[in-house]
């Protein structure tokens, strides 16, 4: 171990196990949602039978598979630190995710009800981005703060582009691929650095 990595005490075995489980689960969840965003972005590039969306989707599957592999490989170095979870962290995560789902449903209903379905991707990205701010504290993962900030920035760009009159497909490309890139970056960071 390098001097910057803490040497765990034998009593920290449970904490190290939890840290490893959260690292693996986080890598998987971030990668899968990045894949979904990439598919959403690809859907704005043309018909499903065209070469461009298919190429994006194939690349997205490969990038996702590599992230999941790196996060779950047996020889992965231990995380350089153990997470310090706040009391009732799991309950807090459940509440944050519940609010996120309710807000996404509200965004979809409001955008479609107002006749502005092109706002759905950016609205969902905004909700997802904002939900990472409390998750950063609840999971003790500082990288979720930059994940939150970047996803929120992608959402704002998407809202500006939609307001400027870009087509729904163009907005989907920008927001979908932008969110995918941010989530993959967080997944790879978690997989490789912990």
């Amino acid at each position: 171990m390098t001097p910057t990595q803490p040497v765990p005490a034998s009593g920290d075995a449970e904490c190290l196990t939890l840290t490893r489980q959260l690292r693996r689960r986080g890598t998987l969840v971030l990668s899968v949602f990045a894949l979904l965003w990439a598919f959403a972005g690809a859907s704005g590039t043309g018909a499903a039978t065209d070469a461009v969306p298919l190429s994006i989707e194939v690349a997205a599957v490969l990038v996702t598979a590599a992230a999941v592999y790196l996060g779950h490989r047996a020889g992965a170095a231990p995380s350089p630190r153990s997470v310090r979870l706040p009391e009732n962290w799991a309950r807090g995560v459940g509440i944050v995710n519940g609010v996120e789902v309710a807000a996404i449903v509200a965004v979809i209903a409001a955008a479609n009800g107002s006749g502005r379905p092109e706002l759905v991707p950016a609205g969902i990205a905004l909700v997802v981005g904002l939900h990472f701010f409390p998750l950063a504290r609840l999971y003790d993962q500082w990288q979720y703060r930059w994940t939150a900030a970047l996803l929120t920035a992608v959402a704002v760009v998407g809202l500006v582009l939609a307001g400027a009159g870009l087509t729904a497909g163009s907005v989907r490309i920008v927001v979908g691929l932008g969110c995918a890139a941010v989530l993959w970056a967080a997944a790879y960071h978690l997989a490789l650095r912990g």
Side-chain angles (χ1 to χ4, degrees):
M1 293 191 130
T2 63
T4 60
Q5 293 177 322
V7 178
S10 60
D12 289 339
E14 186 177 327
C15 186
L16 288 174
T17 299
L18 178 62
T19 298
R20 178 172 220 147
Q21 289 171 346
L22 290 174
R23 178 183 184 180
R24 287 179 169 177
R25 189 177 308 143
T27 301
L28 178 66
V29 170
L30 291 166
S31 298
V32 168
F33 278 103
L35 178 67
L36 295 174
W37 277 108
F39 275 47
S43 74
T45 63
T49 56
D50 290 346
V52 171
L54 182 60
S55 298
I56 292 170
E57 291 165 354
V58 168
V61 168
L62 294 174
V63 171
T64 298
V68 171
Y69 168 76
L70 289 171
H72 288 78
R73 69 193 187 287
S79 183
R81 68 179 185 82
S82 296
V83 295
R84 302 286 182 233
L85 302 173
E87 193 173 321
N88 295 321
W89 68 273
R91 182 176 182 272
V93 168
I95 290 169
V96 168
N97 288 336
V99 169
E100 176 198 26
V101 170
I104 287 172
V105 169
V107 162
I108 293 168
N112 288 331
S114 66
R116 300 287 313 264
E118 71 277 8
L119 296 177
V120 169
I124 292 173
L126 182 62
V127 170
V128 172
L130 293 175
H131 109 290
F132 270 97
F133 283 111
L135 290 184
R137 183 185 62 79
L138 290 168
Y139 281 123
D140 188 25
Q141 293 292 332
W142 65 268
Q143 68 269 33
Y144 288 172
R145 288 184 292 221
W146 60 255
T147 304
L150 291 173
L151 287 172
T152 302
V154 169
V156 170
V157 168
L159 291 170
V160 168
L161 293 176
L166 257 65
T167 66
S170 297
V171 173
R172 241 183 2 261
I173 293 167
V174 171
V175 173
L177 297 182
C179 287
V182 170
L183 292 173
W184 277 321
Y188 275 89
H189 185 277
L190 201 56
L192 297 172
R193 303 211 34 176

